Amino acid sequence: VQLQASGGGLVQAGGSLRLSCAASGRTFSSYGMGWFRQAPGKERESVVAISGSGISTYYTDSVKGRFTISRDNAKNTVTLQMYSLKPEDTAVYYCAASADWGARRYGYEYSYWGQGTQVTVSS
């Protein structure tokens, strides 16, 4: 599986951004998908995840109510819609695919990673 993330940018606090991840391969629906982020000087953290069917999701506490993950298995894409962005959301965001079908929250559960996309939220 090859993953291509896009959609990052610079936005003011309170603004919105939408990240997209396009995946190659014919069995996209069998992969759990996730978004992770890494801020300068910090460890990578799990942000959101979604199961292969799209029914199950996971959100880290800091983004609940502000971020929404969705997927379109017909188009092999997963989208992260981010609202009410805060400066602390600033990070490089990575999409990842897990051979496990569920909504997995840990990085070690993911085998495939896209290149990062920078999200910068100014105060």
Side-chain angles (χ1 to χ4, degrees):
V1 177
Q2 291 186 323
L3 305 172
Q4 181 73 39
S6 61
L10 172 65
V11 64
Q12 290 188 331
S16 302
L17 277 176
R18 183 168 66 183
L19 305 183
S20 294
C21 181
S24 64
R26 295 175 292 177
T27 58
F28 179 68
S29 61
S30 66
Y31 290 88
M33 298 295 295
W35 286 93
F36 293 75
R37 65 186 180 189
Q38 187 166 21
K42 295 187 177 181
E43 293 187 353
R44 182 183 64 194
E45 67 168 334
S46 174
V47 181
V48 297
I50 189 168
S51 63
S53 67
I55 294 175
S56 298
T57 56
Y58 161 78
Y59 293 88
T60 195
D61 286 346
S62 63
V63 307
K64 285 180 180 177
R66 300 190 299 120
F67 290 12
T68 301
I69 187 171
S70 61
R71 66 189 295 159
D72 186 336
N73 287 339
K75 296 182 179 179
N76 283 17
T77 58
V78 61
T79 299
L80 177 60
Q81 181 67 56
M82 305 184 291
Y83 298 101
S84 302
L85 283 160
K86 304 176 180 180
E88 51 264 43
D89 294 318
T90 295
V92 177
Y93 284 70
Y94 299 89
C95 66
S98 171
D100 190 305
W101 182 83
R104 300 302 175 190
R105 69 179 67 179
Y106 299 110
Y108 68 81
E109 297 177 291
Y110 289 82
S111 300
Y112 307 96
W113 295 81
Q115 90 293 357
T117 185
Q118 177 71 47
V119 171
T120 303
V121 184
S122 62
S123 58

